């Protein structure tokens, strides 16, 4: 590797300095670098998020910085659960009142089951790094209790999770998922939803109700008119709705609940069981800074690999194209989806240099890493199945009819799976970060090279809601 390659001190500001083969692919003079979003834009986003919170009447407190939404730890939660089976973080005090907590406690006692309820606003940077699964595991270990049933808030703030040790014998997971699909609970408060989960666990009807509700939602979406767009279509066939917009229905329903799916065409209605937008904004700001550093490192690593590559390697040209495209996207990246695209392009470049074929990064979230296999997935409301590359965890989730962890983005005031964004506004929705490419000659680098990334970014910015 060249000795004069400079590692950026902060990926957001320091330029990538290519050398060797990479240097021969410098951007032409007609392609001026795109500046990164200024700090003032981020501050404006956070301030607007706070304003949205003040007008929404949510039960959780507003936070416009990256401070975790809770100070709870596994030890403090476990200690509190020794005196009551229901732990409610102060941030959810308005969503679950002391009287409601007492009702849940009595309901749990009536079941005779070892049920614990843990409701905490999760966020990157907290004691559990924003993961409900991690929180449940830590609390269970601190309690040292098995068998144990635990109902928790989830990573998104508008869903419930169910866990059970040593095995899911009481259908806790399906019970929690079913509650998110029940029509009668779409506008219910957090306490009512938790109570319904406990009912399903006690009666052993969680799986039955979940399957019935999932089938109902599928039938309702199948009955709706659909466009002729199909995932993986060529860029010239993109329409205003995008070739994969309808495919988002399944994961959207499983991640944020059928209530948000049904209201996706309306302005979202906030309840006490909805995270403040400011919390999401602060979370995403922290994520973006780290991801930008990671993306810059990946581009530098690809450049180093190119310098060391055999000049006769058959994939060298494609790898150079991927390096060039990754640099362009990094320069123009406007948020987490674009930075994830840099990761996908870097992976495409490494795959071109590899002696054996490689899969792209995970379709559901490229931050999961390289996919381990391809699988067919039928999006909700569509008859055809889509072939996508998935990581181990997402593949297991699909096999067990659970929600994969999906890259969520903000689009026109809503938080949605990235692939719900119309394809004409997102190269990543059109390509699934590599999963939906049409063939060996169709690459992410080629699409960036023909200007699709730039055009999609311009369309997205032109359709963003204007703030006074």
């Amino acid at each position: 590797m060249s000795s004069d390659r400079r590692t950026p001190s902060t990926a957001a500001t320091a330029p990538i300095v290519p050398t060797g083969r990479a240097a021969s692919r410098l951007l032409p003079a007609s392609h001026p670098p795109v500046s990164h979003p200024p700090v003032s834009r981020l501050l404006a986003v956070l301030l607007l998020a706070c304003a949205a919170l003040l007008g929404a009447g949510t039960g959780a407190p507003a936070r416009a910085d990256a401070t975790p939404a809770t100070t709870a730890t596994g030890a403090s939660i476990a200690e509190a659960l020794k005196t009551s089976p229901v732990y409610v973080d102060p941030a959810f005090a308005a969503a679950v009142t002391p009287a409601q907590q007492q009702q849940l406690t009595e309901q749990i006692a009536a079941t005779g089951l070892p049920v614990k309820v843990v409701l905490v606003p999760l966020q990157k940077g907290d004691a559990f790094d924003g993961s409900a699964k991690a929180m449940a595991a830590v609390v269970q270990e601190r309690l040292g209790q098995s068998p144990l049933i635990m109902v928790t808030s989830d990573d998104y703030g508008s869903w419930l999770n169910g866990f059970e040790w040593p095995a899911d014998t009481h259908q806790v997971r399906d019970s929690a998922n079913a509650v998110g699909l029940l029509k009668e609970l779409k506008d219910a408060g957090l306490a009512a939803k938790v109570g319904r989960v406990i009912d399903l666990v006690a009666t052993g009807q969680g799986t039955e109700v979940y399957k019935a509700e999932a089938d109902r939602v599928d039938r309702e979406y199948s009955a709706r008119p659909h466009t002729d767009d199909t995932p993986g279509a060529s860029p010239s066939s993109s329409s205003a709705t995008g070739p994969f917009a309808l495919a988002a229905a399944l994961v959207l329903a499983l991640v944020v609940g059928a209530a948000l799916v049904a209201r996706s065409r309306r302005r979202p209605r906030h309840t006490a069981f909805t995270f403040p937008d400011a919390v999401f904004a602060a979370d995403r700001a922290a994520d973006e800074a780290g991801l930008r550093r990671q993306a810059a490192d990946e581009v530098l690593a690809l450049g180093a690999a190119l310098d060391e590559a055999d000049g006769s390697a058959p994939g060298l040209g494609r790898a150079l194209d991927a390096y060039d495209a990754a640099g362009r996207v990094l320069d123009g990246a406007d948020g987490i989806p674009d930075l994830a695209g840099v990761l996908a392009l870097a992976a495409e470049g490494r795959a071109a240099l590899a002696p054996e074929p490689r899969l792209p990064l995970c379709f559901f979230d490229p931050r999961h890493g390289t996919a381990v296999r391809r699988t067919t997935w039928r999006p909700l409301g569509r008859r055809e199945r889509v072939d996508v590359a998935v990581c181990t965890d997402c593949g297991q989730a699909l096999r067990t009819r659970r929600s994969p962890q999906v890259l969520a983005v903000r689009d026109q005031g809503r938080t949605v799976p990235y692939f719900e964004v119309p394809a004409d506004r997102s190269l990543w929705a059109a390509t699934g970060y590599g999963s939906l490419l049409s063939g060996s000659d169709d690459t992410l680098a080629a699409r960036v090279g023909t200007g699709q990334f730039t055009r999609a970014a311009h369309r997205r910015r032109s359709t963003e809601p204007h703030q006074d």
Side-chain angles (χ1 to χ4, degrees), residues 347-365:
E348 187 173 88
R350 290 193 303 272
L353 295 174
E356 300 294 334
R358 290 184 181 180
L359 291 172
L361 300 187
C362 179
F363 165 79
F364 291 103
D365 189 339

Side-chain angles (χ1 to χ4, degrees), residues 3 5 14 19 42-43 54 61 66 105 111 162 172 182 210 226 273 305 393 414 417 425 434 450:
S3 59
R5 186 181 305 280
T19 60
L42 176 59
L43 292 175
L54 292 174
T105 299
T111 68
V172 183
L182 289 169
Y210 172 64
H226 304 299
F273 188 32
D393 288 346
R414 298 184 301 135
R425 300 205 307 268
T450 58

